């Protein structure tokens, strides 16, 4: 049923399912993309990588800001992962500025969820176009809390979802924002590990 026909309990259930889907999707992305890159491409032990990620990921989750995590990422990369300072000083600040894989996945999920919630028809071609658009826009998302939600506005208009949907996402965004920021940070560190391997084979 469209959002206007949903009771308070039904809306909470829908939002809970959305948050769960975001968490499952981001966790799967880390496990199926970043971890194999670190192990198979860079040849680093997964346990070593994950231990080094703990402190940066905690800061990422509590601040919901990739930029605020840069000092912790630099320290973890150089002291625990033993990466080259030349690599880390380039890859990590750059990644904090444009590395928004978690935001891109969240935005794609958010568009599909809001289209379903408002009863907007969403053809497969429209889904593909919207997801591609949010992927491109994700490179420009500010590294601040809720930045990924506001950048959804152009994509929502293109699929016929009212901008009121942004208010719905903002109401619960703190929880998925923690997850997508930790995904962004994990991706930045994984990229640094791979780049270090390329530079220093």
């Amino acid at each position: 049923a469209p959002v206007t026909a949903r009771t308070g309990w039904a809306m909470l259930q829908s939002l809970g399912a959305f948050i769960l889907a975001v968490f499952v999707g981001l966790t799967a992305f880390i496990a199926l993309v970043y971890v194999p890159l670190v192990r198979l491409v860079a040849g680093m032990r997964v346990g070593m990588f994950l231990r080094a990620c703990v402190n940066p990921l905690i800061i990422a989750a509590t601040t919901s800001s990739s930029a605020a995590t840069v000092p912790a990422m630099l320290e973890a990369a150089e002291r625990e992962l033993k990466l080259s300072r030349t690599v880390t000083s380039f890859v990590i600040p750059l990644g904090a500025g444009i590395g928004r894989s978690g935001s891109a996945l969240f935005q794609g999920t958010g568009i599909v969820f809001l289209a379903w919630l408002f009863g907007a028809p969403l053809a497969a071609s429209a889904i593909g176009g919207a997801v591609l658009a949010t992927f491109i826009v994700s490179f420009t998302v500010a590294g601040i809390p809720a930045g990924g939600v506001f950048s959804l506005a152009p994509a929502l208009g293109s699929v016929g979802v009212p901008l009121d949907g942004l208010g719905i996402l903002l109401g619960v965004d703190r929880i998925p924002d923690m997850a997508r920021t930790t995904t962004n940070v994990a991706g930045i560190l994984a990229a640094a590990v791979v780049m270090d391997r390329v530079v220093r084979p």
Side-chain angles (χ1 to χ4, degrees), residues 101-166:
S101 54
S103 297
L105 290 167
F106 165 81
Q107 290 170 335
T109 307
I111 288 173
V112 174
F113 169 71
L114 289 176
W116 169 78
L117 196 64
F118 281 89
L122 200 59
S125 59
I127 294 175
V131 170
L132 178 61
T134 57
F135 175 75
I136 295 171
V137 169
S138 70
F139 289 104
T140 64
V141 174
I144 58 173
V149 176
F150 294 110
S151 63
L152 273 175
L156 291 182
S158 69
V159 296
V161 176
L163 291 182
D164 297 347
L166 294 181

Side-chain angles (χ1 to χ4, degrees), residues 26-198:
L26 293 177
T27 302
F29 187 77
I30 291 173
L32 298 177
V33 177
Y34 294 153
V35 170
L37 277 175
V38 168
R39 184 70 188 102
L40 301 177
V41 178
M44 179 177 287
R45 296 193 310 276
V46 174
M48 178 182 177
F49 175 74
L50 294 179
R51 282 193 299 273
C53 286
V54 170
N55 191 46
L57 293 185
I58 290 173
I59 295 174
T62 54
T63 63
S64 294
S65 170
S66 299
T69 317
V70 168
M73 285 193 283
L74 288 171
E75 182 177 2
E78 293 176 16
R79 292 190 180 182
E80 299 183 48
L81 297 176
K82 309 300 183 185
L83 305 183
S84 164
R85 177 167 294 185
T86 303
V87 170
T88 59
S89 62
F90 173 75
V91 173
I92 290 178
L94 178 64
I98 65 172
R100 300 283 185 272
S101 54
S103 297
L105 290 167
F106 165 81
Q107 290 170 335
T109 307
I111 288 173
V112 174
F113 169 71
L114 289 176
W116 169 78
L117 196 64
F118 281 89
L122 200 59
S125 59
I127 294 175
V131 170
L132 178 61
T134 57
F135 175 75
I136 295 171
V137 169
S138 70
F139 289 104
T140 64
V141 174
I144 58 173
V149 176
F150 294 110
S151 63
L152 273 175
L156 291 182
S158 69
V159 296
V161 176
L163 291 182
D164 297 347
L166 294 181
I168 294 174
L169 292 185
L170 281 172
V172 296
D173 185 59
R174 178 58 180 166
I175 301 172
D177 199 1
M178 296 166 63
R180 66 178 180 263
T181 304
T182 55
T183 303
N184 293 341
V185 168
I188 294 166
L189 288 171
V193 169
V194 172
M195 183 60 69
D196 186 76
R197 175 64 174 173
V198 171

Side-chain angles (χ1 to χ4, degrees), residues 18-28 175-176 178-179:
F18 166 70
I19 292 172
L20 180 62
V22 170
F23 268 88
V24 170
L26 293 177
T27 302
I175 301 172
M178 296 166 63

